[in-house]
């Protein structure tokens, strides 16, 4: 199984500042034939299902504000939230869909400082 | 727009069974692989199972293999999860989720249902 490890577990950032969440996979999720990283990021607010933010490691889902961006390849990935807004308070998960079992990181709780 | 409406959750005793449903609308259901993901109270996300668009392929997490069965009825645009031999550790909100692209089920999940709470308790 591919183990996904996020850091930090929780994060407090001031409004308007940048938040950075890291995700490391225990093996590469880069599929060489199409050169795509099978890595997604989700945002989950209390009482709601997760919402897709980023897929293929860096492609922003339609309707997601451009302050959200994803980067990285292979085994190391980053979700960056620029100019943090109050509505960004949530738990963020990375996910690999390279192989089954599909696995998620443990989650990173983002709060306002 | 795409909607996934989950139902069938409830309180059940250990060892008993339950069936969850997920009714899809706003999409050509038989084009997409579908997944179940669960979340225990206060915990993270755990993938449970996937079924291919044509229903011929199912893959399960080891934690549910042999106890849970994923199925679909494309004529009714509905996904199912049959939960047998339930354990207290199966207590969770169960979400259905749609694969993000036509064809293979190995994609990100672009739409999620609201979730159905299953509580296993004596």
């Amino acid at each position: 199984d591919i183990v996904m490890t996020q850091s930090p577990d929780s994060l407090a950032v001031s409004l308007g500042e940048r938040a950075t969440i890291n995700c490391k996979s225990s093996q590469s999720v880069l599929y060489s034939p199409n050169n795509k990283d099978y890595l997604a990021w989700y945002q989950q607010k209390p009482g709601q299902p997760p919402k897709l933010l980023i897929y293929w490691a860096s492609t922003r889902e339609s309707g997601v504000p451009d302050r959200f961006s994803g980067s990285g390849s292979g085994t190391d990935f980053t979700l960056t939230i620029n100019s943090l807004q109050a509505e960004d308070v949530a738990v963020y998960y990375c996910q690999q869909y390279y192989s089954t079992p599909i696995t998620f990181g443990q989650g990173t709780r983002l709060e306002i400082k | 727009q795409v909607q996934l409406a989950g139902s069938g959750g409830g309180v059940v005793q250990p060892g008993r069974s339950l069936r969850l449903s997920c009714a899809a609308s706003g999409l050509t259901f038989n084009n997409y692989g579908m997944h179940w993901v669960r979340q225990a109270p206060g915990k993270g996300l755990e993938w449970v199972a996937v079924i291919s668009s044509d229903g011929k392929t199912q893959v399960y997490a080891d934690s549910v293999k042999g106890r849970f069965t994923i199925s679909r009825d494309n004529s009714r645009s509905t996904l199912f999860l049959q939960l047998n031999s339930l354990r207290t550790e199966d207590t969770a909100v169960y979400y259905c989720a749609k694969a993000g692209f036509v064809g293979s089920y190995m994609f990100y999940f672009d739409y999620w249902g609201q979730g159905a709470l299953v509580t296993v308790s004596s």
Side-chain angles (χ1 to χ4, degrees), chain B:
Chain B
Q1 76 272 22
V2 174
Q3 290 192 322
L4 301 175
S7 62
V11 180
V12 61
Q13 292 179 326
R16 303 298 291 265
S17 299
L18 204 62
R19 189 173 87 153
L20 304 179
S21 300
C22 173
S25 58
L27 75 161
T28 304
F29 184 69
N30 60 11
N31 280 350
Y32 298 96
M34 296 292 296
H35 298 256
W36 287 99
V37 176
R38 69 183 180 182
Q39 186 170 35
K43 302 298 184 182
L45 301 169
E46 180 189 13
W47 174 80
V48 172
V50 62
I51 188 167
S52 59
S53 56
D54 60 5
K56 293 181 178 179
T57 301
Q58 305 90 32
V59 183
Y60 298 91
D62 285 347
S63 58
V64 307
K65 197 175 297 182
R67 300 188 301 122
F68 291 8
T69 301
I70 188 171
S71 61
R72 63 192 296 161
D73 183 341
N74 284 344
S75 68
R76 294 165 49 195
S77 297
T78 303
L79 175 72
F80 302 100
L81 186 67
Q82 178 70 38
L83 295 73
N84 296 334
S85 303
L86 280 161
R87 306 167 179 168
T88 55
E89 56 264 36
D90 295 319
T91 293
V93 174
Y94 285 74
Y95 297 103
C96 55
K98 168 189 166 290
F101 206 73
V102 172
S104 170
Y105 51 74
M106 291 307 291
F107 282 103
Y108 47 89
F109 306 162
D110 60 349
Y111 288 93
W112 297 63
Q114 283 300 312
L117 176 61
V118 173
T119 303
V120 184
S121 173
S122 54

Side-chain angles (χ1 to χ4, degrees), chain A residues 60 64-69 80-88:
Chain A
R60 196 179 305 113
V64 173
D66 61 6
R67 64 179 181 274
F68 290 89
S69 64
T80 301
I81 310 170
N82 287 310
S83 189
L84 190 73
Q85 305 294 303
E87 61 263 32
D88 300 334

Side-chain angles (χ1 to χ4, degrees), chain A residues 24-42:
Chain A
K24 188 174 184 67
S25 57
S26 62
Q27 63 190 77
S28 177
V29 298
L30 174 63
Y31 186 56
S32 299
N34 61 10
N35 199 37
K36 289 183 180 294
D37 287 283
Y38 282 52
L39 189 284
W41 290 95
Y42 298 87

